[in-house]
Amino acid sequence: MSTGTVAKPSAAPKKAGRRKLTWPWILLIVAAGLVLFSLVRVVSGADDLTSVGQISGALQLAVPIAMAGLGGLWSERAGVVNIGLEGMMVLGTWFGAWAGYQWGPWTGVVVGILGGAVGGLLHAIITVTFNVNHIVSGVAINILAVGFTKYLSNFTFDKAEGGSSKQSPRIDPITDITIPGLSDWLADLHGKHWFLISDLAGILGGLVTNLSVLTIVAALLIPATWWVLWRTAFGLRLRSCGENPVAAESLGVNVYKYKYIAVVVSGGLAGLGGAFLAIVSTGIYQEGQTGGRGYIGLAAMIFGNWMPGGMAMGAGLFGFTDSLKLRGGAENVHALLLLVALLLVIAAAWQLYKKKYIPAVIAAVFSVGFFLWYALTDQVPSQFVDAAPYITTLLVLALSAQRLRMPKADGLPYRKGQGK
């Protein structure tokens, strides 16, 4: 009797994963985006789209959103959802202004960070120690922060010279940096309105004109966060708490400690964003001045797929649309209709290339709609201009939802020793 060998079942073919973007591809995408933006500016005549003032204003508006988003990233990478970023920003604005007008702007920055960190500590106690639902805790902190700062204003700012129950006295400014020769040359180059060259000059000019020192500090925190969380043993342990806390605990990681650190740092970063609003953006504390930026920062973090670089891009996008609303208003937002139409054409072509015909048809139909809207109107309604940053937030989140992957244990309850 002959014996035959049993054939091993062939391994299932591996599904091709999403190709990771390399630096050459990223630079190519950025260059293509700049060309497209320049084309829209030339066709529409909205020369302020890439002006020095527009880019400088967008950067200033993006910093508070980026700090809130960075705070959310720290917290959620450790497995704690932080809806309370808005309230922590409110604490940062109030405490930053309170210390800033008395002892100087840098003291205000430090105290604003501490104010936000206290809010983060409260959130950590409620969620990590007492295991309360993270969303409930965050909403409670948002409500508590607003009421607490209103109460404090009644017997602090209200009694101070130049203040009232709704605003603080004026705070001394933090030093701005401008490179005189380079800044003026780039502004002149942008004023010539050349295709692509003037747009690049406007973008670079916005980065070297009236740049607050605190803006530079805030920008450096983004690569610093990437290095700490993805290149150190501390960051690996912290991220393991957001992916699989039971496994992390079995390897000797003190999960509670890392969650506490992450949420307190999260609150401190949100507090820094709030202090920036009060000290740099306006030079004064005003009731309600955060304007939902904590929530938009959370949206920027989600858009960035819980990564610092993507979060920074999201914050820049939201800051840019917010700046468009303040500068040029209807004309600039009207030009964006053409940009959206062109982007939809590209999306339709890409879907056709991938042989996904239904999404391609949908993108093409919407593209025609935006082209007609742009061609048949001279400006958009003022209500649409005011809502542009929030509409952008919703659209970006809707379009990026399919590629997102949050930390696996994000928002899940955890008790020490639960894996035993």
Side-chain angles (χ1 to χ4, degrees):
M1 184 174 63
S2 62
T3 59
T5 57
V6 179
K8 293 182 179 180
S10 59
K14 291 184 178 180
K15 191 176 180 179
R18 188 183 296 272
R19 184 175 296 176
K20 188 175 181 180
L21 285 178
T22 59
W23 275 109
W25 275 107
I26 293 173
L27 293 175
L28 184 63
I29 292 171
V30 170
L34 185 59
V35 169
L36 189 63
F37 221 88
S38 183
L39 178 64
V40 169
R41 178 189 62 80
V42 172
V43 172
S44 66
D47 293 321
D48 197 43
L49 275 177
T50 54
S51 68
V52 172
Q54 166 66 27
I55 301 303
S56 179
L59 184 61
Q60 189 174 99
L61 289 166
V63 168
I65 296 171
M67 291 301 96
L70 202 61
L73 189 149
W74 271 83
S75 180
E76 299 209 10
R77 277 292 175 181
V80 179
V81 174
N82 193 354
I83 297 294
L85 290 167
E86 177 75 8
M88 295 166 199
M89 283 191 80
V90 171
L91 293 173
T93 58
W94 194 92
F95 282 101
W98 173 73
Y101 87 87
Q102 297 181 90
W103 302 300
W106 284 109
T107 303
V109 170
V110 173
V111 175
I113 293 172
L114 292 176
V118 169
L121 178 61
L122 179 61
H123 188 50
I125 292 171
I126 295 171
T127 57
V128 178
T129 301
F130 293 103
N131 225 4
V132 174
N133 182 278
H134 300 187
I135 306 298
V136 172
S137 172
V139 171
I141 287 173
N142 290 338
I143 297 171
L144 180 64
V146 172
F148 183 56
T149 52
K150 282 183 178 181
Y151 169 74
L152 291 176
S153 296
N154 287 329
F155 60 87
T156 50
F157 297 150
D158 193 37
K159 307 296 181 184
E161 184 178 353
S164 71
S165 61
K166 294 185 180 294
Q167 69 177 44
S168 71
R170 186 149 293 277
I171 307 162
D172 293 334
I174 289 177
T175 304
D176 287 341
I177 297 175
T178 297
I179 304 176
L182 181 61
S183 176
D184 295 338
W185 177 68
L186 289 171
D188 291 340
L189 193 57
H190 177 267
K192 297 182 183 299
H193 306 312
W194 292 337
F195 178 75
L196 193 59
I197 296 174
S198 292
D199 299 285
L200 188 59
I203 292 170
L204 294 176
L207 301 178
V208 296
T209 305
N210 296 328
L211 190 65
S212 171
V213 175
L214 190 56
T215 301
I216 299 173
V217 172
L220 291 175
L221 288 174
I222 296 171
T225 290
W226 173 82
W227 184 81
V228 170
L229 294 185
W230 274 270
R231 287 293 181 269
T232 67
F234 168 83
L236 178 61
R237 295 187 188 104
L238 187 146
R239 288 186 292 116
S240 71
C241 296
E243 295 291 342
N244 194 332
V246 174
E249 183 186 356
S250 69
L251 295 174
V253 176
N254 187 334
V255 176
Y256 278 13
K257 182 182 81 171
Y258 281 94
K259 284 180 179 287
Y260 261 87
I261 291 172
V263 181
V264 171
V265 170
S266 173
L269 288 167
L272 174 59
F276 186 95
L277 274 174
I279 298 170
V280 176
S281 297
T282 59
I284 195 171
Y285 163 81
Q286 292 176 312
E287 189 177 295
Q289 73 186 131
T290 55
R293 287 177 176 85
Y295 300 113
I296 298 177
L298 201 61
M301 177 207 68
I302 296 170
F303 164 77
N305 209 8
W306 288 265
M307 294 292 290
M311 183 281 306
M313 291 176 61
L317 175 64
F318 302 141
F320 182 80
T321 53
D322 207 7
S323 183
L324 284 179
K325 181 184 74 173
L326 299 176
R327 294 177 55 88
E331 180 185 354
N332 287 334
V333 176
H334 183 255
L336 287 186
L337 297 177
L338 179 59
L339 178 63
V340 172
L342 292 173
L343 289 173
L344 286 170
V345 169
I346 295 171
W350 177 249
Q351 294 298 333
L352 279 175
Y353 172 76
K354 294 170 68 177
K355 297 183 179 178
K356 295 182 177 179
Y357 300 111
I358 294 178
V361 170
I362 293 173
V365 169
F366 275 97
S367 175
V368 171
F370 275 100
F371 270 124
L372 290 174
W373 188 1
Y374 173 78
L376 299 176
T377 59
D378 294 325
Q379 61 181 15
V380 294
S382 59
Q383 296 87 347
F384 187 83
V385 175
D386 293 336
Y390 307 103
I391 293 173
T392 302
T393 304
L394 292 173
L395 287 176
V396 165
L397 289 179
L399 293 173
S400 62
Q402 293 183 348
R403 66 174 180 81
L404 300 178
R405 194 200 76 80
M406 65 191 298
K408 290 181 180 177
D410 193 16
L412 298 180
Y414 168 77
R415 287 287 188 190
K416 187 175 182 180
Q418 72 179 34
K420 295 180 181 178

